[in-house]
Amino acid sequence: MRTHDDTWDIKTSVGATAVMVAAARAVETEQPDPLIRDPYAKLLVVNAQASVLWEAMLDEEMVAKVAALDTEIAAVVEHMRSYQAVRTSFFDTYFAAAVADGIRQVVILASGLDSRAYRLEWPAGTRVFEIDQPQVLAYKSTTLAEHGVAPSADRRAVPIDLRQDWPAALRAAGFDPTARTAWLAEGLLMYLPADAQDRLFTQVGELSPAGSRIAAETAANRADERLDQIRERFKKVAEALGLEQAFDVHELIYHDPNRTVVADWLNDHGWRATARNAGDEMRRVGRWVAGVPMADDKQALSELVTAERM
């Protein structure tokens, strides 16, 4: 269970979820017509040796075995992989628009195994700050360096927990609070209590002059009863296939019914924000997966929010 001062590396707790997301990006990269291309995702997954469950996502034969056992769980797995690709593409486009507008300072909050500092084409002079747990950042930096992969921007690792004084650490790494900045909170908010989410956005606002931008993936609001049913079925499938489930991702998430609506909060605090339902975005790009339990429940899906500082 989560605690206010818990920590992790790439094989445990929230850190291991970064491997899951990287596995989904690796699968997408190998599709005939991928939405995104991440040539480093598979490398980061395999070298992590975090969980055979995540590595199994890379094996299409294993996915077929899941379908033979439970078609709905197979649809959930396919949905998750497609969603990660859509989410990644959405925020890649956000960054492309930000640098096209002249922004040259980027901050990725809880960056995990995000490889944008390496795989995107950044204009000369762009600084990309990555904030995350020290062991997570160290694993990514070391693994990619050992395989001859260099950043495509001026990448600045900021090894600190977001529950600590990360603004001070960010400044110490060379962040300029007077420069327009493009922020990203992807795959993060669900791992924060509601009050910590508000505090994070308050701190970002204090560091953002007019013209800065922020993008965020909101925490979804799934029905507990349906979620419990899916978890149990997923567990049975994993056991049947001999896949070790080291932890339950949903136990890492803060389910807070009083969590503020991100776009509304931003609009009330000096930003101009818009939100797009993730399901709508998946349908727009032709990646919606039929047969998933949340098909008729928009609240069960995240929103993809973008905003500009006024």
Side-chain angles (χ1 to χ4, degrees), residues 25-293:
R25 294 201 307 271
V27 170
E28 180 65 24
T29 298
E30 295 179 355
Q31 298 305 305
D33 186 22
L35 281 177
I36 57 102
R37 288 180 172 85
D38 186 342
Y40 314 120
K42 189 171 184 177
L43 170 67
L44 291 167
V45 172
V46 174
N47 279 267
Q49 298 180 337
S51 170
V52 294
L53 188 60
W54 305 149
E55 289 192 40
M57 289 178 58
L58 305 176
D59 184 355
E60 292 300 332
E61 291 185 5
M62 183 62 71
V63 175
K65 292 179 180 178
V66 172
L69 291 169
D70 191 322
T71 56
E72 192 172 74
I73 293 302
V76 171
V77 172
E78 184 183 355
H79 170 86
M80 189 197 74
R81 299 196 319 188
S82 291
Y83 169 66
Q84 296 297 339
V86 171
R87 182 183 82 173
T88 301
S89 176
F90 183 90
F91 292 129
D92 283 359
T93 300
Y94 155 77
F95 277 130
V99 297
D101 188 43
I103 291 177
R104 296 293 181 268
Q105 185 164 256
V106 169
V107 180
I108 303 177
L109 302 161
S111 58
L113 297 185
D114 185 308
S115 64
R116 290 185 175 95
Y118 296 83
R119 65 177 179 82
L120 295 185
E121 295 182 5
W122 299 99
T126 303
R127 286 184 177 179
V128 179
F129 296 87
E130 295 187 355
I131 304 177
D132 211 323
Q133 295 274 350
Q135 294 182 77
V136 174
L137 289 176
Y139 166 75
K140 179 168 61 179
S141 300
T142 301
T143 300
L144 293 179
E146 287 177 346
H147 288 81
V149 181
S152 54
D154 178 4
R155 174 180 178 266
R156 306 283 182 99
V158 185
I160 190 169
D161 192 305
L162 285 169
R163 293 165 295 188
Q164 299 172 359
D165 189 5
W166 63 266
L170 185 60
R171 289 191 184 94
F175 175 83
D176 180 1
T178 68
R180 292 191 303 149
T181 303
W183 301 82
L184 177 61
E186 178 186 26
L188 165 61
L189 300 184
M190 65 284 290
Y191 302 116
L192 295 177
D195 60 340
Q197 172 180 301
D198 292 351
R199 183 165 60 253
L200 178 74
F201 284 125
T202 297
Q203 292 170 308
V204 167
E206 292 170 348
L207 296 170
S208 300
S212 293
R213 302 186 181 195
I214 189 168
E217 172 198 21
T218 69
N221 183 22
R222 297 180 175 90
D224 290 341
E225 181 179 354
R226 185 56 173 158
L227 183 59
D228 288 342
Q229 292 173 359
I230 293 297
R231 290 164 67 184
E232 187 60 31
R233 289 168 62 180
F234 190 91
K235 180 180 179 181
K236 289 180 179 178
V237 169
E239 290 175 348
L241 296 175
L243 300 176
E244 178 187 1
Q245 191 173 3
F247 58 89
D248 186 338
V249 173
H250 298 288
E251 291 183 354
L252 305 176
I253 296 172
Y254 286 94
H255 302 278
D256 193 330
N258 298 316
R259 190 183 294 272
T260 55
V261 177
V262 173
D264 291 347
W265 191 98
L266 291 170
N267 281 324
D268 290 340
H269 290 82
W271 301 81
R272 182 175 58 215
T274 59
R276 184 167 186 81
N277 181 268
D280 292 340
E281 181 66 9
M282 293 179 75
R283 291 183 175 91
R284 186 185 71 82
V285 299
R287 287 307 183 91
W288 180 253
V289 178
V292 292

